Amino acid sequence: MSGLPGAGTSPGLGEASDLKFPLGAKFREPLTEARFQRLFGDAEQAPELLAEPRSSRLCRRWRRLASACSGPGAWRLLRARLPPLRWLPHYRWRAWLLGDAVAGVTVGIVHVPQGMAFALLTSVPPVFGLYTSFFPVLIYTLLGTGRHLSTGTFAVLSLMTGSAVERLVPEPLGGNLSGIEREQLDAQRVGSAAALAFGSGALMLGMFALQLGVLSTFLSEPVVKALTSGAALHVLVSQLPSLLGLPLPRQIGCFSLFKTLAAVLTALPRSSPAELTISALSLALLVPVKELNVRFRDKLPTPIPGEIVMVLLASVLCFTSSLDTRYNVQIVGLLPGGFPQPHLPDLAELPRILADSLPIALVTFAVSASLASIYADKYSYTIDSNQELLAHGISNLISSLFSCFPNSATLATTSLLVDAGGNTQLAGLFSCIVVLSVLLWLGPFFYYLPKAVLACINISSMRQMFFQMQELPQLWRISRMDFAVWMVTWVAVVILSVDLGLAVGVVFSMMTVVCRTQRVQCLALGLAEGTELYRPLEESHKLLKVPGLCILRYPTPLYFGTRGQFRRILEWHLGLGEGRKETPKLDGPPDAVAEPVRVVVLDCSGITFADAAGAREVVQLARRCRDAGIHLLLAQCNASVLRTLTQAGLLDRVTPEQLFVSVQDAAAHALERLEPTGPKTCTVWV
């Protein structure tokens, strides 16, 4: 403890400077950064803490790459890139196999109608939704690290892809197409959707190569939840024409939600009573079943497959009543058996779809990584965000060769997988078996399935996204700023579009972070009597304020955006220039700066990083303090900040003896400087 009243006489400097066993002594000398490095750092490390030479960093990186080329290194790399090599040898067959099988079959049963429904949302024929429910699931099982993650068709991505496809391949204005013209239009749209999957997959692989898994943090939880909630409203409105049997063209671009509503209201007298009845009956079955599955999830051995029951009932009803011929009800038609021939998407389309592929790639990774993290935390295992980039990138890239559209993890089927007892990625294989059986043998049974039922499945699958709005009151209580981010993103998604809403949400979220760094308070610290602790003076009037000594903590990064605020705050506290007259007082008691400041200790523990502009501001502060006769001491600079300050020329203004490892050490040195003729107080209690 430095200079504490009643601390007693300090030991001699020889006793205090014995740092071989610092925890065994009560007092020691203050430690500067240079002295600390001499005592505890590497012998060859310079006292000035200069940056590590680039050549040594390159050599170390080269050695790591060379070690990966050895036999053990190659095996470690293979295990890292193929997660089944890690978890399959430890698979508990008796305990987990039944749960994975039941969960996989349950999810596969849901994938069949949901895949066909989301294919219509993507503006491609229903069978391509089945392809997208098979190939990506199989690939993620081999490459993904999320044990409880279910991938496949996702409503938000289908909506984004459908909007891009409608813009790239618009339907002719007349709308009356022959069978051949309709097939040609569908083929072009399938090609565009596959090109979007190829582009988004390539972008994610590029992000993996650059190890940009950290980018998922820029899509915060409020942004992702607001995006999915707003997109759910778009899905609901976009399915209204199918629910009512109205052959309306799809609206795209900004304000598409309101354009669709206006078109539906205008054409409402022309709605089909038969399809309206089918839609009402389908929703009357699907919505209660969803509620039962949620409320009795702990009591049901497996969730009730309401979607497949509805599909079977509607298909039988349409077949027996000839609704397609008598009332012109739109049906799915023939589902081609087997798989399409693999072919590379038209690369000439890539420049046109690049702007659409980027938000699709970001949403894919953000939703998948956030879902994987939620269940990894719940079940105590870890995921690799960069490996997730690789898994989803390869999944989209390879599946695009089989005419699949963009895919990702899905909220509804992931929750269903967990509720049904899934334990590992092996459940994905059982899901693929169910979809494969439909593609090979059971496809003809869905010939008479009304498309209105698929629209109802789309709407009912949005339940979880709509109910995310129930979290808003709690979010308001926890953080008003996150509430504002949620609302701004949601309003932008609803009014503009999903793509633009995502951009607005990310930009607004980042702006709130910048604004928070602009509104921090520089805290004046005082000594808690009888301890070695320095706390903000505003917390208590019992804290000691030594005349002539000012201890300041700046708790935010020091960069070009905060350098002006940093300068004004320090000018006010230290009485430099005109800052004290112009700037109102920020914190501390009324007499916090009443005495002329002779020594200032700047606690840099809250400065997590500093750029060139911020570092030059500190150098200018050191110069101004020296000219004003104020002794500047810096404490608790992390290695990165200290390296930046050193390279900016700080040691031309201060000596290494003015850089301390802690506030206590700097304050002990300051007290000795303020009382050079008094008793030696240059000791720190440990």
Side-chain angles (χ1 to χ4, degrees):
M1 183 170 61
S2 54
L4 293 179
T9 305
S10 303
L13 293 179
E15 182 182 352
S17 60
D18 183 12
L19 290 172
K20 291 184 179 180
F21 304 95
L23 296 180
K26 293 187 66 175
F27 294 93
R28 61 170 173 78
E29 286 185 59
L31 280 174
T32 61
E33 289 284 354
R35 188 158 180 260
F36 182 85
Q37 291 301 326
R38 286 197 301 270
L39 291 169
F40 301 105
D42 296 333
E44 67 274 9
Q45 189 168 0
E48 292 80 8
L49 299 174
L50 295 176
E52 181 185 10
R54 184 181 297 272
S55 59
S56 63
R57 295 201 303 270
L58 292 176
C59 290
R60 190 167 64 251
R61 187 175 300 173
W62 174 257
R63 285 194 296 269
R64 287 200 302 267
L65 292 175
S67 65
C69 297
S70 63
W75 175 245
R76 286 195 301 270
L77 180 62
L78 187 62
R79 291 179 76 247
R81 296 297 167 248
L82 287 176
L85 295 178
R86 298 199 305 269
W87 59 263
L88 198 56
H90 305 284
Y91 188 83
R92 296 158 57 183
W93 293 95
R94 292 185 178 180
W96 291 350
L97 183 60
L98 180 60
D100 283 340
V102 172
V105 171
T106 303
V107 171
I109 290 173
V110 173
H111 267 316
V112 172
Q114 203 170 81
M116 292 189 291
F118 289 163
L120 296 182
L121 198 60
T122 315
S123 298
V124 297
V127 69
F128 294 95
L130 296 179
Y131 300 150
T132 310
S133 299
F134 177 79
F135 291 104
V137 177
L138 184 62
I139 296 170
Y140 185 83
T141 300
L142 301 177
L143 298 176
T145 59
R147 287 168 41 188
H148 299 85
L149 210 62
S150 174
T151 59
T153 56
F154 182 40
V156 176
L157 288 184
S158 297
L159 181 69
M160 297 171 69
T161 305
S163 299
V165 167
E166 292 278 352
R167 190 184 69 253
L168 295 171
V169 188
E171 189 168 349
L173 295 178
N176 295 322
L177 302 178
S178 63
I180 297 178
E181 292 174 337
R182 172 59 64 181
E183 290 180 0
Q184 293 175 347
L185 180 66
D186 288 341
Q188 293 177 7
R189 289 182 169 180
V190 168
S192 296
L196 285 168
F198 186 92
S200 61
L203 287 174
M204 283 187 279
L205 287 181
M207 292 164 63
F208 165 76
L210 298 175
Q211 298 291 285
L212 296 180
V214 70
L215 285 179
S216 62
T217 58
F218 290 100
L219 288 175
S220 62
E221 183 178 343
V223 171
V224 173
K225 289 189 174 181
L227 174 74
T228 53
S229 296
L233 190 59
H234 275 278
V235 172
L236 171 63
V237 174
S238 67
Q239 296 304 294
L240 289 179
S242 298
L243 291 178
L244 302 174
L246 297 173
L248 298 177
R250 185 167 180 170
Q251 302 293 333
I252 59 175
C254 296
F255 313 107
S256 59
L257 186 144
F258 305 103
K259 294 177 183 177
T260 303
L261 282 176
V264 168
L265 291 176
T266 303
L268 195 59
R270 304 198 307 270
S271 58
S272 169
E275 298 202 50
L276 181 59
T277 303
I278 293 174
S279 301
L281 293 176
S282 300
L283 290 175
L285 174 65
L286 291 173
V287 173
V289 168
K290 290 280 187 182
E291 290 296 325
L292 289 175
N293 285 335
V294 171
R295 295 195 177 188
F296 300 99
R297 66 172 63 186
D298 297 330
K299 298 181 180 180
L300 292 172
T302 183
I304 303 172
E307 290 88 349
I308 198 67
V309 171
M310 189 66 247
V311 165
L312 294 176
L313 290 177
S315 299
V316 171
L317 177 64
C318 185
F319 172 73
T320 56
S321 304
S322 302
L323 296 180
D324 56 324
T325 56
R326 294 173 59 186
Y327 299 102
N328 199 25
V329 171
Q330 297 295 313
I331 59 174
V332 168
L334 180 64
L335 294 179
F339 298 106
Q341 291 293 329
H343 66 278
L344 194 67
D346 187 6
L347 298 182
E349 292 283 336
L350 291 182
R352 297 176 59 198
I353 56 92
L354 185 60
D356 298 296
S357 298
L358 181 58
I360 288 175
L362 291 177
V363 171
T364 298
F365 179 53
V367 172
S368 302
S370 61
L371 266 179
S373 298
I374 289 172
Y375 288 100
D377 293 341
K378 182 177 180 180
Y379 292 98
S380 302
Y381 62 91
T382 59
I383 64 165
D384 184 348
S385 58
N386 286 306
Q387 179 66 21
E388 288 295 298
L389 271 175
L390 176 66
H392 290 288
I394 292 181
S395 174
N396 278 274
L397 197 69
I398 294 181
S399 63
S400 69
L401 305 180
F402 295 91
S403 303
C404 296
F405 49 85
N407 56 86
S408 74
T410 64
L411 302 176
T413 55
T414 297
S415 177
L416 182 63
L417 179 73
V418 174
D419 293 340
N423 298 290
T424 66
Q425 296 94 317
L426 195 63
L429 293 181
F430 293 98
S431 173
C432 290
I433 292 174
V434 174
V435 179
L436 180 64
S437 63
V438 174
L439 287 171
L440 295 181
W441 302 295
L442 304 179
F445 289 98
F446 299 96
Y447 182 93
Y448 289 98
L449 175 62
K451 291 184 177 180
V453 174
L454 297 180
C456 294
I457 293 175
N458 277 334
I459 293 174
S460 64
S461 65
M462 298 295 104
R463 175 195 177 279
Q464 191 173 356
M465 300 184 193
F466 282 125
F467 276 83
Q468 290 179 141
M469 301 187 74
Q470 292 180 338
E471 302 176 8
L472 285 178
Q474 182 184 11
L475 190 62
W476 172 265
R477 292 191 298 269
I478 296 175
S479 173
R480 306 287 175 86
M481 193 68 72
D482 285 344
F483 180 86
V485 170
W486 202 105
M487 291 304 302
V488 168
T489 305
W490 187 85
V491 170
V493 169
V494 171
I495 294 179
L496 301 177
S497 64
V498 177
D499 302 354
L500 293 178
L502 173 62
V504 170
V506 171
V507 171
F508 185 78
S509 178
M510 299 303 296
M511 287 177 59
T512 61
V513 176
V514 175
C515 291
R516 288 177 184 180
T517 64
Q518 299 285 335
R519 299 179 61 185
V520 299
Q521 289 186 338
C522 185
L523 304 173
L525 306 183
L527 181 64
E529 185 174 2
T531 73
E532 78 285 5
L533 301 176
Y534 287 85
R535 304 290 296 176
L537 290 171
E538 63 183 9
E539 291 184 1
S540 173
H541 296 292
K542 297 181 180 180
L543 297 175
L544 300 180
K545 176 70 170 65
V546 179
L549 174 61
C550 183
I551 305 176
L552 300 174
R553 176 184 296 159
Y554 191 70
T556 191
L558 186 56
Y559 64 103
F560 66 93
T562 58
R563 59 177 295 189
Q565 178 199 46
F566 175 80
R567 183 194 311 120
R568 290 190 298 271
I569 291 176
L570 269 294
E571 285 178 348
W572 180 84
H573 276 287
L574 304 181
L576 299 175
E578 300 296 326
R580 184 173 182 177
K581 297 178 182 179
E582 296 176 356
T583 308
K585 189 171 181 181
L586 299 177
D587 65 1
D591 59 346
V593 290
E595 295 289 335
V597 177
R598 295 163 53 194
V599 181
V600 58
V601 177
L602 183 58
D603 180 5
C604 302
S605 60
I607 303 178
T608 54
F609 72 89
D611 66 356
R616 284 194 292 267
E617 196 63 45
V618 176
V619 174
Q620 291 297 321
L621 172 67
R623 179 188 63 79
R624 297 181 67 185
C625 286
R626 187 181 61 183
D627 295 342
I630 299 175
H631 191 58
L632 174 64
L633 305 176
L634 300 181
Q636 289 186 254
C637 291
N638 66 52
S640 173
V641 172
L642 192 55
R643 187 180 302 119
T644 304
L645 296 178
T646 302
Q647 292 175 342
L650 178 66
L651 295 183
D652 296 335
R653 305 293 182 183
V654 301
T655 66
E657 298 302 318
Q658 293 173 254
L659 308 176
F660 289 86
V661 297
S662 71
V663 175
Q664 289 83 359
D665 291 271
H669 176 82
L671 289 174
E672 184 187 50
R673 187 177 182 88
L674 290 172
E675 302 176 8
T677 59
K680 292 293 183 182
T681 58
C682 188
T683 54
V684 180
W685 183 29
V686 295

